Amino acid sequence: VKELLGKLPQLVDKKQKEIVEYNEAVANDEYDKELTLTEAPDLESFTPRYWKVRDKAFGDLDKDGVDDAVFVYDTPMAGDMDGTLRVLGIFRKTDAGYKLWKQCSSIILDSNSGGVWGDPYDGVTINRGAIIVSHFGGSRDKWTYTSIYRYQDNDWFLIGSKNGAFAGGDYAIVSDYNLSTGKINYSSEKWNVMDE
């Protein structure tokens, strides 16, 4: 404990310098606005300075039997409602490491776009070769957005979306769109707590 307490002032000083450096870079617009590396031996090397890895998922996205990777990044770029932009990066596994396959800043909602809930990001997964991105937010009335993306016809496409809105004791609405088949499932339920 004494050794740790002795190092504490140095650790605090180092962290304070990092915060000042980050704030200056943001104020002067001196940071990467996108993923700049196209190939790297490991996934960590793709992360630009001042960006942070928020989430990651692994799975076979191109049906070659090898797991690819999807990363969600927090960036310093200003978003809506005093939040920051997120970037989703898709990486294909290669013999030498990984290759940047696709990046997009419009798939993940900004860090403060969840209403009273705050950060709406609720996770990324890979299932049956598809990338699934989930969001959740609201206040009294809650909402969910789930988007599904797949690589087909040599590009990435939105193939499905499931959206919900609900308020405890009042209503629940869910719509599920399959853009590959053209099918839409919709359900709604309303109730009045006072009748119970």
Side-chain angles (χ1 to χ4, degrees):
V1 173
K2 286 182 182 180
E3 184 179 336
L4 182 61
L5 288 173
K7 293 179 181 178
L8 197 56
Q10 294 171 344
L11 295 172
V12 169
D13 206 30
K14 180 182 176 193
K15 187 63 178 175
Q16 185 61 39
K17 286 179 184 175
E18 289 173 1
I19 291 169
V20 168
E21 185 179 290
Y22 174 87
N23 289 338
E24 286 177 358
V26 171
N28 296 323
D29 207 28
E30 295 174 349
Y31 54 86
D32 289 331
K33 310 294 188 295
E34 61 182 21
L35 296 167
T36 56
L37 283 181
T38 57
E39 294 186 57
D42 57 72
L43 289 163
E44 291 73 25
S45 297
F46 287 99
T47 307
R49 192 170 187 200
Y50 308 120
W51 289 31
K52 292 182 182 172
V53 175
R54 171 65 190 271
D55 203 357
K56 49 189 153 183
F58 298 90
D60 186 2
L61 295 170
D62 54 2
K63 300 177 184 173
D64 66 354
V66 178
D67 278 356
D68 304 296
V70 176
F71 275 41
V72 174
Y73 295 95
D74 285 323
T75 77
M77 293 180 278
D80 293 331
M81 296 183 256
D82 295 326
T84 55
L85 289 179
R86 267 66 184 271
V87 170
L88 182 125
I90 306 171
F91 304 95
R92 180 180 264 164
K93 182 75 172 107
T94 66
D95 291 337
Y98 288 90
K99 183 175 184 176
L100 177 62
W101 195 350
K102 190 81 169 179
Q103 64 179 306
C104 185
S105 62
S106 61
I107 289 175
I108 310 292
L109 293 176
D110 295 355
S111 65
N112 207 25
S113 295
V116 174
W117 203 259
D119 186 351
Y121 176 71
D122 200 30
V124 64
T125 57
I126 295 174
N127 187 20
R128 297 187 314 188
I131 299 169
I132 303 167
V133 178
S134 301
H135 293 92
F136 177 87
S139 55
R140 179 189 173 278
D141 294 351
K142 305 285 191 295
W143 49 262
T144 63
Y145 298 143
T146 302
S147 304
I148 304 168
Y149 303 88
R150 176 165 296 169
Y151 185 72
Q152 56 193 34
D153 300 325
N154 296 317
D155 207 350
W156 286 94
F157 293 91
L158 174 68
I159 62 162
S161 178
K162 185 173 185 177
N163 305 314
F166 54 95
D170 285 339
Y171 69 90
I173 300 170
V174 176
S175 55
D176 190 351
Y177 307 87
N178 186 323
L179 301 173
S180 293
T181 64
K183 292 183 179 179
I184 299 173
N185 294 319
Y186 175 84
S187 66
S188 72
E189 186 175 340
K190 293 184 180 182
W191 58 92
N192 188 332
V193 176
M194 300 305 286
D195 292 340
E196 295 179 358

